[in-house]
Amino acid sequence: MTTKVQDEVTVEVPVNLAYNQWTQFEEFPRFMDGVLSVDQITDSRLHWVAEVAGVRREWDAEIVEQQPDRKVAWAATGGATNAGAVYFEPVDPGRTRVRLELEYEPEGLVERTGNALGLVKRQAKDDLARFKAFIEDRDVPTGGWRGDVAPGASVGTPGIDAAAASSGDSGKAGVSPKVAAGAAVAGAAAVAAGLAASRSDDEQVTGGGDVVDVLTSDHAEITALLAVLRAESDPQRARDLADTVIAELVRHSVSEEMHVYPAIRKHLPAGDQAVEHDIEEHKEIESLLEELEKADAAGPEFHDVVQQLTQVLDDHVADEEREQFPQLRARIPAAELVEIGARVERAQRLAPTRPHPGTPNAKLFHVLAGPGVGLVDRLRDRLTGRADNT
Ligand SMILES: [Fe+2]
Ligand SMILES: [Fe+2]
């Protein structure tokens, strides 16, 4: 399944000025959200650095066709699979229509939260609007490159087939793999790439990482989901996303308690104390999740709870990743860490809360957990097996 995003904006400048500005890729961070830097390696190769949901990412993009005053087309060469084109069409001598077509292949998180598509679409719209403000605000572009790339190639709008080299290479969150994205509308592509790279189901099944990799990847995914939730203004989509956050966090906490905390108790000095501290924080997180499930997504308190949850979780994740995980790696044999990681992955795959790609979240939760208040408790009972014994 692929996802297409199309949008356009009319800018109040002649086509040559709009096009010239667009060729100044290194200027993109000035008007594209989340893009930190762009380096033009050659006329057709670009290296991008962006921040997506607080995670730094780098990628390369190849321009497959560029025609002055008409078109810039790109395809990914590695990482998250995406491709697209930006077209420039004169409306009259002083106005230009800038049209974007972007296609990408969602994985993991994107498939499980259809809402992410909304975020990518909004990012594309916002970036085009910022481009319009940027170019209309100045008399002359900051530069211009009038060369051709592949003149006469007429590749149309490259689809994800053109980015086949990047297929199945989405990498893991936080390690800056060669995540690829488009040369244009970098913000939208970065969101798509970032979400896709945060964790794919394939990686969960075949990743073979140790337990620290598995849990760190969970943390990145949940942090990214919370960032999407904080930006969501539609109450129904916010409700669905919140339910997904609840399920992911309960699933993560329960698997830590069942499979990881016993190892911390056994192998770390003062392990009992560390576990008791962690469990206290899990309780705090869980009570915020209970507030979140009761909160009206259209009401003012909903986003307050999301904000509090973000803060508590950020602290808890920092404790685990900075203090406990390095100690686990230092004190537990690597093979045992991989074995614990496999146990966590197995438990997560069997967990009844695991969203199935393509299943609408609301329906999923009604089927698996029943509607209404009590979701956190019911999920915990199912995951720990308590529900089977009562
Ligand atoms: Fe935890
Ligand atoms: Fe954790």
Side-chain angles (χ1 to χ4, degrees):
M1 183 189 79
T2 67
T3 299
K4 291 185 181 179
V5 175
Q6 290 189 30
D7 209 337
E8 63 178 47
V9 70
T10 299
V11 296
E12 307 281 324
V13 299
V15 67
N16 63 324
L17 296 192
Y19 174 83
N20 281 355
Q21 184 61 61
W22 201 278
T23 64
Q24 300 306 290
F25 300 111
E26 296 188 348
E27 305 278 344
F28 275 27
R30 293 172 69 174
F31 59 86
M32 289 199 169
D33 244 15
V35 178
L36 299 179
S37 69
V38 183
D39 288 318
Q40 185 130 20
I41 312 300
T42 68
D43 285 345
S44 65
R45 281 187 51 229
L46 303 162
H47 182 73
W48 296 80
V49 181
E51 197 168 80
V52 181
V55 179
R56 184 185 167 96
R57 303 203 176 279
E58 301 188 27
W59 67 87
D60 294 304
E62 181 80 20
I63 305 213
V64 293
E65 187 185 358
Q66 187 163 347
Q67 296 179 39
D69 297 344
R70 288 196 54 206
K71 176 181 182 185
V72 178
W74 78 88
T77 55
T81 306
N82 77 92
V86 179
Y87 295 89
F88 302 84
E89 297 161 79
V91 177
D92 58 39
R95 291 191 299 161
T96 306
R97 187 177 301 118
V98 180
R99 181 163 51 89
L100 160 77
E101 296 180 8
L102 165 72
E103 185 176 18
Y104 67 94
E105 193 166 73
E107 296 174 49
L109 180 60
V110 171
E111 290 170 343
R112 298 208 299 278
T113 64
N115 323 71
L117 172 61
L119 186 78
V120 174
K121 281 184 171 164
R122 272 200 304 283
Q123 182 79 50
K125 189 173 272 310
D126 290 350
D127 281 347
L128 285 173
R130 277 188 285 266
F131 173 72
K132 175 179 166 70
F134 184 81
I135 187 64
E136 289 178 358
D137 226 30
R138 58 192 55 243
D139 295 331
V140 290
T142 56
W145 185 75
R146 310 287 302 172
D148 291 282
V149 173
S154 193
V155 297
T157 300
I160 57 145
D161 291 352
S166 66
S167 186
D169 184 25
S170 60
K172 294 194 171 184
V175 293
S176 294
K178 46 174 187 165
V179 178
V185 187
V191 169
L195 291 173
S198 68
R199 191 183 71 191
S200 74
D201 287 337
D202 287 349
E203 280 171 347
Q204 283 299 294
V205 174
T206 60
D210 72 10
V211 66
V212 170
D213 288 332
V214 174
L215 297 176
T216 303
S217 176
D218 271 1
H219 291 163
E221 171 166 346
I222 294 166
T223 300
L225 264 176
L226 273 168
V228 176
L229 177 55
R230 285 197 303 279
E232 182 56 71
S233 54
D234 177 82
Q236 185 54 53
R237 287 199 298 264
R239 180 72 266 157
D240 285 350
L241 265 174
D243 287 350
T244 305
V245 166
I246 290 168
E248 291 287 315
L249 258 173
V250 173
R251 185 175 68 89
H252 175 80
S253 302
V254 168
S255 54
E256 279 181 343
E257 289 165 21
M258 291 175 79
H259 302 287
V260 184
Y261 289 179
I264 293 179
R265 282 187 195 279
K266 186 170 155 200
H267 294 281
L268 266 54
D272 285 339
Q273 269 175 291
V275 166
E276 270 143 40
H277 172 77
D278 281 343
I279 287 177
E280 277 310 304
E281 290 191 339
H282 278 192
K283 282 187 185 149
E284 194 182 349
I285 288 168
E286 223 158 90
S287 78
L288 285 168
L289 293 179
E290 283 165 359
E291 283 186 48
L292 185 61
E293 66 168 283
K294 290 179 204 150
D296 175 1
E301 75 283 6
F302 183 85
H303 282 280
D304 286 348
V305 177
V306 171
Q307 202 59 45
Q308 281 182 56
L309 179 63
T310 303
Q311 270 168 18
V312 173
L313 189 71
D314 282 352
D315 285 348
H316 181 67
V317 163
D319 278 357
E320 288 181 338
E321 293 190 2
R322 284 190 209 136
E323 289 168 27
Q324 295 171 2
F325 292 177
Q327 288 198 61
L328 285 177
R329 281 214 168 126
R331 292 171 187 276
I332 299 179
E336 194 176 332
L337 288 176
V338 170
E339 171 51 33
I340 298 171
R343 280 209 293 275
V344 168
E345 287 187 322
R346 221 162 25 238
Q348 292 184 344
R349 283 204 301 278
L350 294 173
T353 56
R354 186 167 183 76
H356 187 273
T359 306
N361 289 326
K363 184 176 164 206
L364 175 85
F365 282 99
H366 290 167
V367 170
L368 292 179
V373 172
L375 181 60
V376 172
D377 278 346
R378 282 197 303 275
L379 293 177
R380 178 170 273 282
D381 286 352
R382 281 175 178 274
L383 285 159
T384 57
R386 283 199 309 231
D388 298 335
N389 302 327
T390 54

